[in-house]
Amino acid sequence: MAASAAPPDAPDAARIVASLRRELPARTPFVEVRWSSLLDRPLVLRGELEYAGPGHLSRRVEAPYREEMTVAGGEASVQRGDREARTFPLGQAPELEGFLRGFQSLLGGDAQALANDFTLSASGTDDRWRLVLKPRDARLARRIQTIQVDGSAAAARCFRTQEADGDLSVLLVEAAVDAPLPRLPSQPQVDAICRGIDAR
């Protein structure tokens, strides 16, 4: 199944995905900004992601609290602080499952696998591009509207997960991690960081 066709002047989605391939294990610091209907202000998390291969992802939050999540063998385990770890099937968290499927295809540089799970389109230029992933699976689409990846050349900057209920999570990685971020960032400010624009 091929990726969806892009306009003639748009960057090639398959070529962008191929350029994102990373040697394993792939590690990156991250800053995540979440907007949720359950929160009265955006939540900003800082930590490190490690991808060790298909189905294996760990995410360590270092601030504003300590939490470690490990995904392996179709299960996710979450431990916050000194509390006992909580383990659950990955199928109970479709938004996490969808992110993992997209993330592993991108870091594997596998546009074919990505196109099996998502419709894929590209826009922008080779130096400042955007990929938009829409879930093909109806169960996943009920939870995730789109996953948007912004990047430059052969590096991703942001993974933006728009959930169907309106909640939004933006994961800043690689060069975007060091961008100045306001204490209470707005969505336009974070979007500017994702696109490599100084919004100060």
Side-chain angles (χ1 to χ4, degrees), residues 34 47 90 183 191:
R34 294 181 186 170
L90 197 56
R183 188 175 64 86
D191 187 57

Side-chain angles (χ1 to χ4, degrees), residues 21 37 54 60 88-89 96-97 110 124 137 144 158 172 178 180 182:
R21 185 179 183 276
S37 59
R60 287 178 290 277
F88 54 90
L96 175 59
E97 181 183 14
D110 193 340
D137 180 76
I144 295 180
C158 295
L172 311 178
D178 296 324

Side-chain angles (χ1 to χ4, degrees), residues 122-143:
S123 61
T125 66
D126 287 340
D127 290 332
R128 187 177 289 166
W129 48 261
R130 173 172 288 175
L131 297 175
V132 177
L133 288 61
K134 294 185 178 181
R136 293 184 182 277
D137 180 76
R139 180 185 62 90
L140 186 56
R142 285 195 292 269
R143 297 292 293 271

Side-chain angles (χ1 to χ4, degrees), residues 13-60:
R15 181 161 48 83
I16 290 174
V17 173
S19 74
L20 297 178
R21 185 179 183 276
R22 296 292 184 266
E23 295 299 322
L24 301 180
R27 297 183 183 89
T28 180
F30 73 84
V31 175
E32 181 178 359
V33 186
R34 294 181 186 170
W35 289 270
S36 170
S37 59
L38 301 177
L39 303 172
D40 60 3
R41 64 184 63 189
L43 175 64
V44 180
L45 306 175
R46 299 178 184 273
E48 182 181 64
L49 280 175
E50 179 178 345
Y51 176 66
H56 291 77
L57 178 72
S58 65
R59 174 178 173 274
R60 287 178 290 277

Side-chain angles (χ1 to χ4, degrees), residues 112-187:
Q112 183 65 56
L114 197 62
N116 287 338
D117 290 326
F118 303 90
T119 61
L120 177 63
S121 60
S123 61
T125 66
D126 287 340
D127 290 332
R128 187 177 289 166
W129 48 261
R130 173 172 288 175
L131 297 175
V132 177
L133 288 61
K134 294 185 178 181
R136 293 184 182 277
D137 180 76
R139 180 185 62 90
L140 186 56
R142 285 195 292 269
R143 297 292 293 271
I144 295 180
Q145 190 175 83
T146 59
I147 298 175
Q148 179 177 292
V149 187
D150 287 285
S152 177
R157 293 177 60 87
C158 295
F159 293 83
R160 175 189 177 103
T161 303
Q162 179 69 63
E163 297 184 23
D165 61 5
D167 288 355
L168 173 66
S169 173
V170 181
L171 191 73
L172 311 178
V173 296
E174 300 201 18
V177 168
D178 296 324
L181 191 67
R183 188 175 64 86
L184 294 177
S186 67
Q187 291 185 26

